[in-house]
Amino acid sequence: MAEHHSLMETDVLVVGAGVAGLSLATALGREGFAVTVLDGASRPSAPPGGVDLSDWDFRVSALTPASIAFLQALGVWQQIPSDRVAPYDAMRVWDADGNGHIAFDARDVVAPCLGQIVENRQVVYALLKSVEALPRVQLCWDEPLESLSRAPSG
């Protein structure tokens, strides 16, 4: 059974402490909003910093310059180790059946690259360190959302 936390007065409830949820919580927390983040998983530990294959996260994200600028504005991008980030200049995506596909290439938009590939757990951990420093953001681990209802007052 999950331990239930005493929740502070909350302006915004965020369900999920992944990249999107922690990004939102960080941005809102920096603006002074009281934010509670619920996640059904345990708090992630620091990513390993080694170079063995097992130290790398195979789950990665291709971040665009706009996403990187957002993370930079939050002070998060700077916390991601530079040796865990690599530029990409082209991408080809296809569906499981092989019927649909799309391709992007930096040459088509006269850019040096389309963005950066980064390990998800590196982004999550950098966001986590940032959000944990915000006094009005409360993180509740091992707390899945079980139900949600609207108060009569709206």
Side-chain angles (χ1 to χ4, degrees):
M1 179 95 175
E3 171 189 337
H4 291 280
H5 300 277
S6 169
L7 296 181
M8 64 183 184
E9 184 74 22
T10 298
D11 298 318
V12 179
L13 174 66
V14 176
V15 180
V19 172
L22 290 176
S23 293
L24 178 61
T26 301
L28 293 173
R30 287 173 48 113
E31 292 297 319
F33 287 92
V35 181
T36 299
V37 180
L38 298 180
D39 197 285
S42 299
R43 183 190 184 281
S45 57
V51 295
D52 290 336
L53 189 58
S54 62
D55 294 327
W56 293 85
D57 187 359
F58 295 122
R59 185 168 182 220
V60 298
S61 291
L63 299 179
T64 66
S67 296
I68 294 166
F70 177 66
L71 293 173
Q72 286 172 329
L74 295 178
V76 171
W77 183 254
Q78 300 84 327
Q79 296 179 47
I80 299 170
S82 60
D83 63 344
R84 297 302 230 218
V85 176
Y88 68 97
D89 58 15
M91 182 175 290
R92 284 147 193 46
V93 182
W94 58 93
D95 67 10
D97 295 329
N99 297 327
H101 67 279
I102 190 167
F104 305 95
D105 196 304
R107 293 176 296 191
D108 294 340
V109 293
V110 192
C113 68
L114 294 173
Q116 301 286 327
I117 300 288
V118 61
E119 296 170 77
N120 280 30
R121 67 180 169 200
Q122 294 289 345
V123 179
V124 167
Y125 194 69
L127 282 161
L128 185 56
K129 289 190 303 185
S130 180
V131 80
E132 286 178 337
L134 298 171
R136 294 186 44 107
V137 178
Q138 180 178 13
L139 297 167
C140 301
W141 300 105
D142 300 308
E143 293 282 351
L145 180 67
E146 294 177 6
S147 67
L148 183 65
S149 60
R150 183 175 224 153
S153 62

